[in-house]
């Protein structure tokens, strides 16, 4: 007679276990699902992008891949059975130890996540740590989540510094505008107003005289005053915006600016330009002109330079503007110096157009300012005429 496998009270088939007991196939299915769930959890834990570790006291008993990467552990190595303070450093103990004690005291109740920020002197890293109790089969373990926020904090500080600089620059622009208005008002009053008043008085008192020489001398003096007045008007207009920039282009305007700066400031200015104006739109053209104007002013007033070289050339789709002098050079972090709005203004002009600014002190002394501006891609370059033999 063929024997039948044993069945339970409910009729389920029973399988023998090594200990001689029997499990129903239903229980076997539950065990299989539990093992599959455990594998899925282990995979999620291992592949999570956030650094996790499990602690038994201060001893690390489990970690994931992100945790090992965070602490620069070699591939294939493990931080298990290592003290957490061996990884973080002894300086983390005063902040972390009370946190672990608080979390461990809550194993019997509802776990609460305790957080703190650790500043590690080694590498100047800033870590955010969250710790919570993790009851496990009658014993208390702790789960720790670690995030490296060093880069985020640096970016936040950089953003705040940029905002502060922009607020300062905005205030400086307002003051500069009011200063420019005051300067123009004084120029108009002192230069034009006084000369025109003098001409009015001379014309009012002008009468035919028997002495033709004296009459001609007075007329000549008035004509000379008119010439000086016209010169003053052109100078004031050029300071506001040089008409040469609109009429003749950037190269001609820079040559004129170099001559005028050399004459006014008593310095030697050399200009190296291309054969034709660079392919810039109106905003970039005036920005390039103002950058050179500001750089010349800085070289003469602050750097105490006597020789300045200006070079303008196109390279790799960009306008490369270089101003080099033989002065005292840039101070460290000159572009971020409080109150240094000249370089800050140059940098903001360049960045507003999608360009960049770089300062350096080359070997041999002096300073070099390099500004890159994107060229206008749709400029129609006129091809040179074909030469034909007569």
């Amino acid at each position: 007679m063929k024997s039948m496998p044993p069945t339970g009270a409910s009729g389920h088939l029973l399988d023998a276990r090594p200990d001689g007991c029997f499990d129903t196939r239903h229980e076997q299915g539950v065990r299989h699902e539990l093992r599959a769930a455990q594998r899925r959890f282990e995979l999620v834990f291992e592949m999570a992008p956030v650094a996790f570790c499990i602690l038994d006291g201060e001893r690390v008993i489990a970690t994931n891949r992100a945790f090992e990467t965070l602490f620069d552990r070699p591939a294939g190595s493990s931080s298990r059975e290592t003290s957490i303070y061996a990884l973080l450093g002894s300086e983390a103990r005063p902040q972390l130890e009370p946190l672990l004690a608080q979390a461990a005291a809550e194993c019997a109740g509802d776990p609460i996540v305790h957080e703190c920020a650790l500043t590690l002197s080694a590498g100047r890293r800033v870590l955010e740590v969250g710790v919570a109790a993790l009851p496990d089969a009658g014993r208390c373990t702790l789960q720790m989540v670690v995030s490296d926020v060093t880069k985020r904090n640096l970016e936040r500080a950089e953003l705040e510094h940029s905002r502060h600089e922009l607020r300062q620059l905005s205030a400086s622009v307002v003051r500069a505008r009011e200063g420019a208005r005051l300067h123009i008002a004084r120029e108009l009053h002192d230069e034009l107003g006084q000369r025109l008043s003098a001409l009015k008085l001379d014309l009012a008192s002008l009468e035919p005289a028997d002495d033709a020489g004296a009459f001609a001398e007075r007329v000549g003096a008035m004509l000379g005053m008119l010439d000086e007045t016209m010169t003053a008007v052109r100078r004031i207009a050029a300071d506001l915006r040089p008409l040469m920039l609109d009429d003749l282009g950037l190269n001609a305007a820079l040559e004129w600016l170099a001559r005028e700066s050399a004459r006014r400031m008593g310095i030697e200015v050399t200009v190296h330009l291309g054969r034709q104006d660079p392919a810039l739109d109106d905003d970039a053209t005036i920005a390039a002109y103002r950058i050179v104007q500001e750089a010349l002013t800085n070289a003469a007033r602050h750097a105490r330079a006597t020789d300045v070289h200006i070079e303008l050339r196109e390279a790799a789709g960009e306008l490369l503007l270089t101003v080099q002098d033989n002065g005292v050079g840039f101070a460290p972090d000159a572009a971020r110096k409080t109150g240094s709005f000249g370089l800050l203004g140059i940098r903001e002009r360049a960045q507003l157009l999608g360009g960049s600014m770089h300062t350096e002190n080359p070997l041999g002394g002096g300073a070099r300012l390099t500004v890159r501006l994107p060229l206008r891609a749709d400029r129609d370059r006129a091809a040179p005429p074909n030469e034909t033999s007569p």
Side-chain angles (χ1 to χ4, degrees), residues 228-306:
E228 293 176 356
T229 302
M230 293 175 63
T231 301
V233 170
R234 285 194 294 267
R235 177 174 56 80
I236 294 172
D239 288 340
L240 294 176
R241 181 181 174 97
L243 297 179
M244 187 178 297
L245 190 64
D246 300 313
D247 296 339
L248 301 179
L250 180 60
N251 285 357
L254 290 180
E255 290 176 347
W256 173 84
L257 177 62
R259 289 194 301 269
E260 285 295 302
S261 299
R263 181 181 62 82
R264 290 186 187 181
M265 302 175 184
I267 60 177
E268 186 73 22
V269 182
T270 305
V271 182
H272 299 279
L273 305 173
R275 287 189 172 183
Q276 56 183 353
D277 288 336
L280 300 173
D281 56 23
D282 292 339
D283 291 339
T285 298
I286 188 62
Y289 179 86
R290 295 301 185 195
I291 287 172
V292 174
Q293 189 177 42
E294 183 64 34
L296 287 172
T297 302
N298 288 343
R301 292 183 180 177
H302 305 296
R304 301 189 295 276
T306 59

Side-chain angles (χ1 to χ4, degrees), residues 101-177:
Q102 289 177 1
E106 295 167 357
C107 276
D110 295 331
I112 300 175
V113 177
H114 300 272
E115 297 178 318
C116 73
L118 303 177
T119 302
L120 309 181
S121 58
R124 296 183 179 179
R125 300 171 70 183
V126 180
L127 304 180
E128 282 187 353
V129 176
V131 182
L134 190 65
D136 181 18
R139 66 172 184 165
C140 181
T141 56
L142 302 177
Q143 174 179 281
M144 176 184 288
V145 181
V146 186
S147 300
D148 190 341
V149 296
T150 307
K151 183 177 179 181
R152 187 188 71 185
N153 288 358
L154 289 176
E155 291 174 347
R156 183 182 299 170
E158 180 72 16
L159 179 60
E160 183 59 32
H161 184 75
S162 297
R163 289 175 177 173
H164 178 67
E165 282 187 332
L166 288 176
R167 286 192 294 267
Q168 286 188 316
L169 180 60
S170 178
S172 174
V173 168
V174 172
R175 289 194 297 269
R177 184 187 302 139

